[in-house]
Amino acid sequence: MANEKIELIKEAIKARESAVIAFSGGVDSATLAALAFEVLGKKALAVTINSPLFPKKQLETAVETACEIGIEHKILSFSQLSLPYFSANRINRCYFCKKALLETLLDFSEKAGYNAVLEGTNYSEIHGENRPGYRAVQEAGEKIFSPFVEFNVTKEEIREVASKLSLSAANRPSASCLATRIPYGKPITAEALQKIEKAEEFLFSLGFTQFRVRMHENLARIEVIQNELKDALLKREKISRRLKSLGFDYVTLDLEGFRSGSMDEPYTLKNLTNR
């Protein structure tokens, strides 16, 4: 990414004088936090919202990444399961989730005396048919600042900046909340989220790097990246035994492999068919 873009982002952040950064520990929020810390110093605060949707491993990573950057870090607890419109799990669930998270961050920042809330949506993410989460960001108006969208910074460019800043998050696989493992229309419960989290923790312990365990009733549909499909087959008995011990009746391997947003595919196909 051109140095001019980086400087524009830093100038925009600096103009806000103090800021809370929505911080998951992923490459987007880590890069944003690093840039904010560079220009604001102690007036920048990384805030992670810990919830049933946020895997414990990701929380640990967020803590480690904040320490690596040197930025002050705070963890707030919040449960989206208390939101009926979210737990009903309609196709726009991300809107209600994002809206509630932003309201939590705004309330905290105002009470703590910070001038702005920064969040790391990037330019690559705002294109597509189903982006209800970004709609919540837009509705927040000037209260929320998304510099990567403002200056048309793509995911690839963010990884380049993270590499230049020597951040461990530079090559970290993209993560998503645990709710994305449950089909739309199926209620999101604490029990289902815990089952999915334990299943994914087990796959991680086996050395898999980028994967999802999608939950269809009591069937687990495992997505791994293409070059790890063979390894998944070799370890199929161990995987099946562990996931069945967690309560899954059937354990399957998706031959298409890992892809983000696979739960949206049936809806995308319907839209294409109806055109």
Side-chain angles (χ1 to χ4, degrees), residues 23 25-26 29-38 46 62-72 167-169:
F23 190 76
S29 66
T31 303
L32 183 56
L35 293 175
F37 182 63
E38 185 178 334
V63 172
E64 292 167 0
T65 305
C67 289
E68 173 191 326
I69 294 168
I71 192 170
E72 186 180 351
L167 296 176
S168 62

Side-chain angles (χ1 to χ4, degrees), residues 8 36 40 42 44 47 55 60 90 102 107 111 124 128 132 135 140-141 145 151 154 169 219 232 238 256 262 267 272:
L8 286 171
L40 296 178
K42 293 183 179 179
V47 175
E60 292 170 2
R90 302 305 178 195
L102 292 178
D107 182 62
K111 290 178 179 177
S124 304
R135 182 159 62 89
F145 181 46
F151 297 103
T154 65
L219 181 148
K238 188 181 294 186
E256 291 186 67
S262 71
Y267 298 88
L272 289 173

Side-chain angles (χ1 to χ4, degrees), residues 207-221:
F208 294 98
T209 58
Q210 182 77 316
F211 55 85
R212 298 286 187 268
V213 176
R214 312 288 189 185
M215 184 176 182
H216 301 267
E217 299 294 350
N218 268 351
L219 181 148
R221 175 171 61 87

Side-chain angles (χ1 to χ4, degrees), residues 180-225:
T180 62
R181 280 60 155 178
I182 301 174
Y184 296 119
K186 299 297 181 181
I188 298 171
T189 65
E191 293 75 18
L193 296 172
Q194 289 167 8
K195 185 189 290 189
I196 293 164
E197 182 174 3
K198 288 177 181 177
E200 293 193 348
E201 283 177 354
F202 182 68
L203 289 181
F204 182 81
S205 74
L206 294 180
F208 294 98
T209 58
Q210 182 77 316
F211 55 85
R212 298 286 187 268
V213 176
R214 312 288 189 185
M215 184 176 182
H216 301 267
E217 299 294 350
N218 268 351
L219 181 148
R221 175 171 61 87
I222 300 172
E223 299 175 9
V224 299
I225 54 177

Side-chain angles (χ1 to χ4, degrees), residues 78-90:
F78 177 80
S79 177
Q80 295 92 333
L81 299 182
S82 62
L83 307 171
Y85 290 113
F86 173 80
S87 56
N89 196 18
R90 302 305 178 195

Side-chain angles (χ1 to χ4, degrees), residues 1-10 151-154 157:
M1 183 173 69
N3 289 333
E4 290 80 3
K5 268 190 182 180
I6 298 175
E7 291 307 313
L8 286 171
I9 290 171
K10 290 198 290 188
F151 297 103
N152 300 338
V153 183
T154 65
E157 289 175 321

